[in-house]
Amino acid sequence: MGLSFLEGNEAIAHGAVAAGCNFFAGYPITPATTVYNTMLSLLPPSGGVCLQGEDEIASMGFCLGASMAGKKVLTATSGPGISLYSEQISFAIGSEIPVVIVDVQRLGPSTGSATRGADGDVQFLQWGSSGGLPVIVLAPADVRDCYLLTVHAFNLAEKFRCPVFLASNKEIAMTKESIDLSAIPLPDIVERQPAGPNQPFRPFASENNHSAPPFLPIGGDTLVRQTSSTHGTDGYITIDPAVIESMQQRLDQKLMAHVDALTFYDTDIQEGADTLVITYGVTSRSAVDAVASLRSEGKAASLLVLKTLWPVPEAVIRQLAAPVSRVVVTEMNMGLYLREIERLLPDKTIGFMGHMSGKLVTPHEIREVVTNG
Amino acid sequence: MGSFLNTDRPPVFCPGCAHERVTSALDETFQQMELEASEIVIVSDIGCSGLFDTFFNTHAFHGLHGRALTYATGLKLARPELTVIVTMGDGGLGIGGAHVLSACRRNVDLTLMVLNNFNYGMTGGQFSATTPSDAKVGSSFLNQLEMPIDACRVAASAGAGWVMRASIYEKHVADQLTAAIRYPGFSMIDLWGVCPGRYTKQNNLTPKSLRAIMDGLPSADGPVPENQRKEYGKHYAEIAAGLKPQGPPPQIEARQNAPDHGKNGISILGSAGQRIITAGEILCLAGMSAGLHATQKNDYPITVLRGHSVSELLLSDTTIGYTGIEQPAVVIAIADEGVARRKSMIDRLDENCLVIKATDVDVPASRAQVHEIDFKAWKIKSQDRALASLAVLAGLDRIISADMLRAAISFRFKDAIAASALVLMDNVAGHLAA
Ligand code: SF4
């Protein structure tokens, strides 16, 4: 067996290439820069394009243009860059432009701490765009996830024609780990559904009210329109309330009607346990250790590690929490995803372990809350 | 070839608006260039000029204010065969200023049409980046406080290869546009016209007075001699063709046997210039050569050439969860800066921990075992201390063996560097034996 030694950011770049990504644009920012560096070494020699924009807004603009020309596009930044991406993200949501966006979270707010980790953006990624529509956010826990979830992220972006976020964290992104990428089973690669020939092409006409429209690239033989304005199926601006509403509902339902297909999670359920630890991202690694050490002392506990944060996997969470009376949420912030769990499980006792200190939540800290409340 | 004007969606501008003339001139341009509609994409900005994509039966891309050049750049690099035309007002010129400068510097083969009417028409005639200071506008007195820019001089000084200032009321606009589009690089045409809906309600501006103002400005009539160079996309492809494709990440084979089992944390405490991070990587590779799981976290200031450098490694025969080190098995202390950075950890060390320390580094007292090395007496330079400490660890057969370290060195370094690292290892082994 052979092992490579990679940091999370490098694994994301390799995952992107494995998924067929052929266009990257970004602006350097710690702790996301090594995604860009790695894409720069991978793409240009193999016919792809890797660009450094004059700022984050430009980088996202390059990606949206290239995606509409049919490329599979990736960008990577951190909290301050996501802030600048915001209006472009809204555009990608409303105008159904596939793009995978890596947010290597660092301690905020604002410029915060460039080299300290946190999971402080997990609500921001869902709600940091205008219009309030759902987005997909996946959360890797380690180098393996960085590789595998990036492939899933591309598949989801292509299938649902939407931005897909990878909510990474400095503590995963810049930590090197031993890994055998070739041993990780990857899903089949999904391509955008092309529009059929011999029909007048309507760029936003979908087959039903809960799926993405078939795609044709800008620059092909068929004329294609793209617009950030509120549009009808023909891609022209509209003020017809019925058309507007059906478009908005489809944008909502194309994700919300398919939550099962975009939900990833790991479980470690112990028969008879009365506590379920719910976690995600780098903190899940401490939770795994904490649960193992509790069990070694004869204490029962179950574990749910969410890999999809948005749309919230409500059914999975409710179902796994059903047998327990107590839930402990642990995350690398002061309780952001906790809000979702409290909303879903009003009848459970809910404990919490998390902080914004730049330090990882430790297994010991999680054990304390599970044991002593 | 016929007109590409979209007869279903005729222009909806105020009567007398210059944009109406631009629409016809652009259509005439397409006809005289004999382009196919599917070869053209019109990327429009925001404001009244942002309606342009809807008037033509071509590919169309309408996005956010000031960002039209960014989409155009992505489109053109993804599909170099496309003719990409950007329409933008003087508003877009201002809000997207960074993109305009960068497009000029970058020289992607795009054509930027600045539909310059000296104000924000759509939102109520507020002042823009090109509004004269003495104009009466919808922003009260604020324009009196700012200088307008000359888009052409800005573009030329930013590196645009083709820049023209033109009036929509004069002949040959279609010829001028054709020349702009044919230019094999970034071209910008600053096309002056009036906005009767807003600007000329309060300001007297006629085709004649526009011409008079233009005549007072430095000329901008096409190619900028000092900015001629390769087009970005072609140049990119040329350089990329000479690059070697990267394979998958290299793998180290697990052929060695580790002397220790369980999960072991190692902290290397040093300073910038001591190759701490490389040594940390070597230690992990050594572990991986015996099939161990490994993680590495580094801590150094943003200004990488001074201050502390700390590398924290875990080697384990089972999967690694938490990547922090609560109780290290080994601490390598080779510079005071690193020790100062991890003082609280040193206070906690227990009797199972081994501290390998340089004689000239102060490590606070703890319960750990201490192995002191006089690097100066051994004639080992500061930048080799970290690697030499790994050789000490291997010599003591703690966590890694000498074979594991050799495997890591041969995997990580090439030829001369690998050879000198192996010599260093032998040197250390000799001293340890003595
Ligand atoms: S407001 Fe000005 S720019 Fe806009 S359509 Fe009317 S005249 Fe033209």
Side-chain angles (χ1 to χ4, degrees):
Chain A
M1 185 190 79
L3 290 171
S4 301
F5 199 41
L6 298 179
E7 56 172 43
N9 282 346
E10 293 172 293
I12 283 177
H14 286 284
V17 171
C21 171
N22 44 16
F23 191 100
F24 177 95
Y27 185 84
I29 182 170
T30 306
T33 307
T34 45
V35 178
Y36 161 48
N37 292 346
T38 311
M39 291 310 274
L40 194 48
S41 74
L42 293 176
L43 286 187
S46 56
V49 173
C50 177
L51 297 178
Q52 177 178 314
E54 53 272 22
D55 57 22
E56 283 87 349
I57 298 173
S59 302
M60 262 298 269
F62 298 167
C63 284
L64 300 188
S67 181
M68 282 311 299
K71 299 286 180 189
K72 284 190 171 182
V73 304
L74 176 74
T75 185
T77 188
S78 189
I82 294 288
S83 308
L84 291 173
Y85 283 1
S86 175
E87 61 169 346
Q88 302 275 33
I89 292 168
S90 310
F91 180 15
I93 294 169
S95 303
E96 307 186 69
I97 309 177
V99 51
V100 177
I101 303 167
V102 184
D103 177 14
V104 182
Q105 295 170 90
R106 65 192 224 186
L107 188 84
S110 187
T111 49
S113 305
T115 57
R116 295 277 168 265
D119 283 334
D121 300 350
V122 294
Q123 291 282 349
F124 181 44
L125 293 178
Q126 165 57 72
W127 302 116
S129 51
S130 55
L133 286 162
V135 298
I136 301 174
V137 181
L138 308 182
D142 52 21
V143 167
R144 181 181 196 277
D145 278 353
C146 284
Y147 185 66
L148 178 59
L149 289 182
T150 300
V151 178
H152 282 300
F154 272 94
N155 280 353
L156 295 173
E158 296 296 312
K159 181 171 161 74
F160 295 107
R161 286 189 60 176
C162 62
V164 177
F165 293 97
L166 283 159
S168 185
N169 178 314
K170 179 262 160 188
E171 291 286 348
I172 303 165
M174 293 180 70
T175 299
K176 279 196 167 194
E177 287 192 74
S178 50
I179 186 84
D180 179 5
L181 293 184
S182 64
I184 301 172
L186 295 180
D188 290 341
I189 302 306
V190 175
E191 304 293 346
R192 249 167 261 182
Q193 188 199 337
N198 308 326
Q199 56 179 12
F201 178 61
R202 300 172 75 81
F204 296 98
S206 134
E207 285 160 11
N208 53 48
N209 59 7
H210 57 80
S211 66
F215 177 86
L216 286 178
I218 287 181
D221 292 341
T222 305
L223 297 183
V224 174
R225 289 189 49 73
Q226 176 54 286
T227 178
S228 55
S229 297
T230 306
H231 47 267
T233 56
D234 57 4
Y236 285 103
I237 196 164
T238 182
I239 52 167
D240 180 336
V243 174
I244 293 171
E245 194 178 7
S246 80
M247 186 68 75
Q248 296 279 338
Q249 280 178 349
R250 187 176 61 71
L251 290 172
D252 179 80
Q253 283 303 301
K254 79 171 178 178
L255 297 187
M256 299 314 285
H258 303 279
V259 170
D260 287 353
L262 42 87
T263 294
F264 301 101
Y265 62 97
D266 284 344
T267 55
D268 181 1
I269 302 300
Q270 189 174 17
E271 197 74 16
D274 194 40
T275 300
L276 173 69
V277 178
I278 301 181
T279 183
Y280 61 88
V282 71
T283 311
S284 68
R285 306 172 65 132
S286 298
V288 167
D289 284 2
V291 166
S293 94
L294 284 164
R295 288 179 187 170
S296 74
E297 292 165 13
K299 295 175 188 149
S302 290
L303 181 66
L304 166 60
V305 179
L306 295 173
K307 305 279 165 117
T308 300
L309 298 182
W310 301 95
V312 178
E314 301 190 353
V316 167
I317 292 168
R318 283 207 180 93
Q319 184 205 329
L320 290 170
V324 302
S325 69
R326 191 157 166 268
V327 165
V328 171
V329 177
T330 180
E331 55 185 329
M332 203 172 171
N333 58 50
M334 294 194 293
L336 296 177
Y337 208 74
L338 174 66
R339 301 161 64 98
E340 305 307 316
I341 305 300
E342 285 174 337
R343 169 175 74 76
L344 289 171
L345 306 173
D347 301 331
K348 309 283 177 191
T349 306
I350 297 185
F352 177 72
M353 180 64 231
H355 43 74
M356 289 281 273
S357 60
K359 294 176 78 171
L360 293 171
V361 175
T362 66
H364 179 75
E365 288 171 325
I366 298 170
R367 271 184 46 166
E368 281 294 300
V369 177
V370 173
T371 313
N372 303 323
Chain B
M1 199 161 294
S3 160
F4 295 149
L5 282 176
N6 182 351
T7 46
D8 294 341
R9 291 174 183 273
V12 287
F13 299 119
C14 305
C17 175
H19 293 354
E20 189 119 14
R21 286 171 174 263
V22 180
T23 311
S24 328
L26 188 56
D27 188 46
E28 194 185 328
T29 306
F30 292 149
Q31 291 179 51
Q32 76 182 36
M33 289 185 74
E34 300 190 4
L35 289 165
E36 298 282 345
S38 62
E39 293 173 319
I40 304 166
V41 54
I42 296 179
V43 183
S44 65
D45 206 73
I46 291 286
C48 299
S49 69
L51 302 169
F52 262 70
D53 59 283
T54 62
F55 304 143
F56 292 90
N57 286 316
T58 63
H59 291 289
F61 194 115
H62 172 75
L64 307 168
H65 194 20
R67 317 303 169 200
L69 282 168
T70 72
Y71 313 124
T73 302
L75 283 162
K76 181 69 182 179
L77 289 170
R79 287 198 175 241
E81 71 280 10
L82 270 178
T83 296
V84 182
I85 293 159
V86 177
T87 63
M88 181 188 279
D90 38 304
L93 178 77
I95 190 175
H99 311 310
V100 175
L101 297 182
S102 301
C104 295
R105 286 196 307 116
R106 208 176 273 125
N107 199 35
V108 175
D109 183 14
L110 312 170
T111 297
L112 169 62
M113 298 169 60
V114 179
L115 276 49
N116 189 352
N117 60 16
F118 317 102
N119 78 145
Y120 290 81
M122 196 175 262
T123 51
Q126 294 82 5
F127 77 112
S128 77
T130 62
T131 309
S133 305
D134 59 0
K136 289 197 177 60
V137 290
S139 319
S140 181
F141 63 91
L142 294 177
N143 64 307
Q144 294 171 31
L145 310 175
E146 297 190 17
M147 286 258 295
I149 59 163
D150 174 356
C152 293
R153 267 186 288 176
V154 169
S157 65
W162 197 100
V163 178
M164 179 173 281
R165 190 184 300 106
S167 163
I168 192 63
Y169 304 104
E170 297 175 7
K171 283 187 201 142
H172 311 305
V173 174
D175 295 339
Q176 291 164 329
L177 282 170
T178 299
I181 295 168
R182 289 223 165 107
Y183 178 74
F186 181 75
S187 55
M188 187 193 84
I189 182 159
D190 179 17
L191 202 44
W192 289 20
V194 301
C195 164
R198 304 288 187 190
Y199 192 78
T200 50
K201 278 190 167 162
Q202 299 193 77
N203 302 281
N204 189 19
L205 210 55
T206 63
K208 215 169 150 194
S209 61
L210 280 177
R211 173 42 60 194
I213 300 168
M214 281 183 168
D215 287 343
L217 292 170
S219 71
D221 42 21
V224 182
E226 65 272 27
N227 293 339
Q228 300 312 307
R229 62 199 188 278
K230 288 178 183 167
E231 192 271 335
Y232 184 96
K234 289 206 172 71
H235 199 183
Y236 194 108
E238 210 176 286
I239 294 174
L243 300 174
K244 224 175 106 215
Q246 305 278 307
Q251 294 194 324
I252 187 165
E253 293 298 324
R255 293 210 180 98
Q256 312 298 329
N257 289 310
D260 273 345
H261 291 284
K263 183 176 175 185
N264 289 301
I266 304 101
S267 282
I268 310 181
L269 312 178
S271 64
Q274 287 189 312
R275 301 177 185 163
I276 301 296
I277 291 158
T278 307
E281 190 185 341
I282 294 281
L283 180 66
C284 288
L285 290 169
M288 289 157 63
S289 78
L292 299 181
H293 299 265
T295 63
Q296 178 183 22
K297 296 210 286 187
N298 303 312
D299 171 16
Y300 48 83
I302 296 278
T303 49
V304 288
L305 295 181
R306 64 167 73 226
H308 68 277
S309 180
V310 169
S311 192
E312 290 173 316
L313 308 317
L314 283 169
L315 291 178
S316 171
D317 41 23
T318 52
T319 312
I320 297 169
Y322 174 62
T323 54
I325 300 179
E326 282 169 329
Q327 190 56 253
V330 173
V331 173
I332 295 171
I334 51 176
D336 291 329
E337 292 93 330
V339 173
R341 191 77 186 171
R342 286 292 180 279
K343 222 181 142 305
S344 64
M345 178 193 75
I346 289 170
D347 293 341
R348 293 196 311 265
L349 297 181
D350 65 20
E351 59 282 359
N352 298 320
C353 176
L354 169 67
V355 175
I356 297 174
K357 80 175 264 300
T359 322
D360 55 2
V361 170
D362 287 329
V363 177
S366 72
R367 288 184 293 155
Q369 316 147 42
V370 177
H371 189 109
E372 199 162 295
I373 296 170
D374 190 345
F375 287 106
K376 284 184 185 139
W378 287 9
K379 298 199 166 50
I380 288 173
K381 292 184 226 131
S382 176
Q383 68 262 35
D384 289 333
R385 282 184 177 198
L387 187 58
S389 302
L390 299 187
V392 171
L393 200 59
L396 300 172
D397 215 28
R398 287 283 286 264
I399 302 177
I400 57 167
S401 67
D403 284 343
M404 289 163 71
L405 185 54
R406 269 188 218 104
I409 287 171
S410 318
F411 176 82
R412 175 65 171 75
F413 297 131
K414 282 204 187 85
D415 315 332
I417 300 177
S420 74
L422 292 171
V423 167
L424 178 72
M425 251 189 94
D426 290 343
N427 181 9
V428 169
H431 284 296
L432 284 177

